[in-house]
Amino acid sequence: MALRWVITVSSPCSSQSHPAPDAVLPKFSCYKTLHQSHRTFTSPLHSTNRFSLPGNAFRSPARIRISPFRCFASALTPQLKNTLDTVVTSNKVVLFMKGTRDFPQCGFSNTVVQILNSLNVPFETINILENELLRQALKEYSSWPTFPQLYIEGEFFGGCDITVEAYKNGQLQEQLEKVMCS
């Protein structure tokens, strides 16, 4: 059985100072489509209903507004990209994490810190919880949606799962040895 949703939106065209509830809120209809062998049948699941508000909802002086969808601009500005490029290239190992090296505020961040500490690797940490713009920009910068984010010699290495896997199979130690010797 397949479901088909039909949405009809009413237009709030009225000269009144407070439009009627029917004119503001969308009208929804729902139909179901049944597939039986080679035939298709369509029948209404529900009668057409409009959402309704209490009669006094529009009597207050404040107007109810339905906000439009928002389109967010990129958090990764050219200036911030240049700053991130400088940070990840000026340090051999950089960890963008939740919290600090001494006080991780996330189990995944703590795991990566413990791995790097066990390898006696000098690394810089940046607390992404201190700046929401930085946090959003880093997701775009690395094309990676979660934290922590580990960078080795200016290149994004991975998050917690990738770092743990690379540590278990020895790839992380191998790459860090090459970086530290150069």
Side-chain angles (χ1 to χ4, degrees):
M1 177 169 56
L3 290 178
R4 179 179 59 161
W5 293 90
V6 178
I7 299 175
T8 308
V9 179
S10 301
S11 173
C13 296
S14 174
S15 60
Q16 299 174 0
S17 61
H18 299 291
D22 290 6
V24 175
L25 298 173
K27 171 182 157 184
F28 293 93
S29 301
C30 179
Y31 294 88
K32 68 177 178 180
T33 303
L34 303 174
H35 299 281
Q36 294 179 350
S37 60
H38 300 292
R39 297 180 188 167
T40 301
F41 301 95
T42 302
S43 63
L45 277 176
H46 305 286
S47 62
T48 301
N49 292 323
R50 292 184 184 260
F51 292 106
S52 61
L53 293 172
N56 62 357
F58 289 96
R59 291 193 185 126
S60 67
R63 291 192 117 194
I64 295 177
R65 291 186 175 204
I66 299 174
S67 62
F69 292 103
R70 293 182 183 179
C71 219
F72 293 103
S74 173
L76 186 61
T77 63
Q79 297 86 2
L80 187 51
K81 184 183 181 313
N82 289 338
T83 302
L84 290 172
D85 286 339
T86 303
V87 169
V88 299
T89 56
S90 63
N91 299 292
K92 292 188 178 192
V93 181
V94 180
L95 181 63
F96 293 95
M97 61 179 285
K98 294 179 181 178
T100 62
R101 177 192 315 224
D102 297 327
F103 187 65
Q105 295 182 1
C106 161
F108 299 114
S109 295
N110 185 41
T111 300
V112 176
V113 166
Q114 295 305 317
I115 288 172
L116 294 174
N117 283 338
S118 73
L119 296 174
N120 294 321
V121 176
F123 63 99
E124 293 297 319
T125 61
I126 297 175
N127 184 358
I128 55 109
L129 296 176
E130 292 177 348
N131 187 327
E132 183 61 29
L133 181 63
L134 173 65
R135 184 177 182 174
Q136 293 307 318
L138 273 167
K139 292 177 183 181
E140 293 177 49
Y141 183 76
S142 64
S143 299
W144 193 261
T146 60
F147 292 94
Q149 293 182 4
L150 180 62
Y151 286 80
I152 299 175
E153 202 154 64
E155 297 291 322
F156 176 68
F157 184 79
C160 181
D161 292 342
I162 292 172
T163 304
V164 168
E165 185 64 32
Y167 177 71
K168 286 180 181 177
N169 65 27
Q171 291 175 344
L172 179 63
Q173 295 89 319
E174 194 177 296
Q175 186 164 355
L176 288 172
E177 283 177 16
K178 288 179 190 175
V179 169
M180 293 303 145
C181 292
S182 62

